[in-house]
Amino acid sequence: MNKYLAELFGTFWLVLGGCGSAVLAAAFPDVGIGLLGVSLAFGLTVLTMAFAIGHISGCHLNPAVSIGLWAGGRFDAKELVPYIIAQVIGGVLAGGILYVIASGQAGFDAASSGFASNGYGDHSPGQYSLTAALVTEVVMTAMFLIVIMGSTDKRAPEGFAPIAIGLCLTLIHLISIPVTNTSVNPARSTGVALYVGDWAVAQLWLFWVAPIIGAVIGAWIYRSLIGSNSE
């Protein structure tokens, strides 16, 4: 049970820290942190939680990562459903806390502001197409899994995996925020989309399907072409 609670709290922190920075601080007058700040915030959530709970649950914080690690021979199939449920609950709880905070500002409207939701077409920050969003999410998640599996391989230098993984997520956001607002994580996408409803929920399918496909591809690449399934 401790593993599932760790995943819940870890995903809560990821969504609150990452999406919170986008909703509350990205464009704050005069001192907004912008794309760079939001990217760094997402990376820091994973970095801090990897050190805090990595020894308890492995710090997946992401259904796609759990599925990818299973595909790569690093994770037991019987743990998949409980991990995914815990991650989604953590994301939705964080979205709720963030919604309460953000709605304290006069004129706040989740639907019109986007509430850090992921989207394509008219709801992409850069108006990128469905195809562009699909390719971006698949490729970025695949690369994320390669970094995760490589940095946690027993042949890799010990103790540095959280840094590599956190910086990888930062880089992924720097590349892809303009395209999809960056998901690579179905729990992160679900955690805020439910409070927006409408278009965010209608487009949510992509941010489950693409990251999962990308994670499986990344795990296959690492396991088959780069290295063994060493833990």
Side-chain angles (χ1 to χ4, degrees), residues 13-201:
W13 183 234
L14 183 148
V15 174
L16 185 62
C19 295
S21 70
V23 171
L24 304 175
F28 190 76
D30 301 324
V31 291
I33 62 174
L35 184 153
L36 178 60
V38 173
S39 301
L40 184 59
F42 272 100
L44 288 174
T45 62
V46 171
L47 174 63
T48 52
M49 276 296 120
F51 281 116
I53 67 168
H55 56 287
I56 301 172
S57 69
C59 192
H60 298 184
L61 318 185
N62 182 338
V65 168
S66 296
I67 292 170
L69 291 175
W70 163 76
R74 298 279 191 89
F75 192 57
D76 195 331
K78 70 181 181 182
E79 300 276 24
L80 271 178
V81 172
Y83 262 58
I84 291 170
I85 290 173
Q87 291 156 359
V88 172
I89 290 173
V92 172
L93 288 175
I97 294 295
L98 181 57
Y99 185 87
V100 170
I101 295 170
S103 61
Q105 184 180 48
F108 170 77
D109 179 70
S112 62
S113 69
F115 198 53
S117 291
N118 303 112
Y120 54 84
D122 290 340
H123 302 290
S124 158
Q127 307 290 293
Y128 285 86
S129 68
L130 168 59
T131 300
L134 175 65
V135 171
T136 298
E137 290 291 326
V138 168
V139 172
M140 294 300 150
T141 315
M143 295 306 301
F144 195 32
L145 258 292
I146 290 171
V147 171
I148 290 171
M149 293 187 70
S151 62
T152 56
D153 193 301
K154 67 181 181 181
R155 298 167 295 182
E158 293 185 9
F160 293 99
I163 299 172
I165 295 168
L167 289 177
C168 180
L169 190 60
T170 298
L171 177 57
I172 286 169
H173 280 77
L174 287 171
I175 297 166
S176 59
I177 283 178
V179 183
T180 62
N181 226 12
T182 309
S183 170
V184 301
N185 184 338
R188 168 261 188 270
S189 299
T190 303
V192 290
L194 294 183
Y195 297 94
V196 176
D198 193 27
W199 65 266
V201 172

